[in-house]
Structure formats: structure tokens, C-alpha cells
Amino acid sequence: MKPIWYFVGLILSIIGLIILLTGIYMLISPAHSKPVLGELHPDIWWGAIMVIVGVIFILRNRNVKIE
């Protein structure tokens, strides 16, 4: 069995990748209405942070086995 942190990393990576790709899409084709502080692109930052943390969780727990 894998530890729970492996699956947490997997979920963080997948959701972070979705948020990151959405942020990149919104950067290429911006919306008609501008949100407050939208020029900082928080979706790109948080998506990248989630992907990095998820990959760290996956790499740290990939060889750990729970019996």
C-alpha cells in the first residue's frame, strides 16, 4: 500500500496543472471583465505552487510501502 501523502501529491499535481493551464489560457485570451488584482495572475502562481508541492509529495513517498 502507498501512504496517503502519495495520493495527496497526485491530487495536488492534477488540480494544480488544471489551474495552471486555465491561467495560461486566460493570459492568452483575457476575459472581458477585469477582476481586482487580475494583472498579478494568481491562478498561474497557485497552479505552479500546487504542481511543485504535489511533485515533491510524490517523489518523497514513491518508494515508501505501508504494510
Side-chain angles (χ1 to χ4, degrees):
M1 280 179 37
K2 293 278 189 187
I4 189 71
W5 296 112
Y6 179 80
F7 297 107
V8 168
L10 190 63
I11 291 171
L12 273 174
S13 297
I14 292 171
I15 294 174
L17 186 63
I18 291 169
I19 293 172
L20 180 65
L21 291 175
T22 303
I24 292 171
Y25 175 75
M26 294 303 287
L27 183 66
I28 294 171
S29 63
H32 296 291
S33 63
K34 298 286 183 185
V36 177
L37 297 176
E39 68 272 0
L40 297 177
H41 306 290
D43 42 4
I44 293 176
W45 286 102
W46 280 108
I49 290 171
M50 289 173 70
V51 168
I52 291 168
V53 170
V55 168
I56 289 171
F57 280 2
I58 289 172
L59 292 178
R60 289 196 59 166
N61 294 299
R62 67 178 172 203
N63 294 329
V64 176
K65 301 278 185 191
I66 296 177
E67 295 182 24

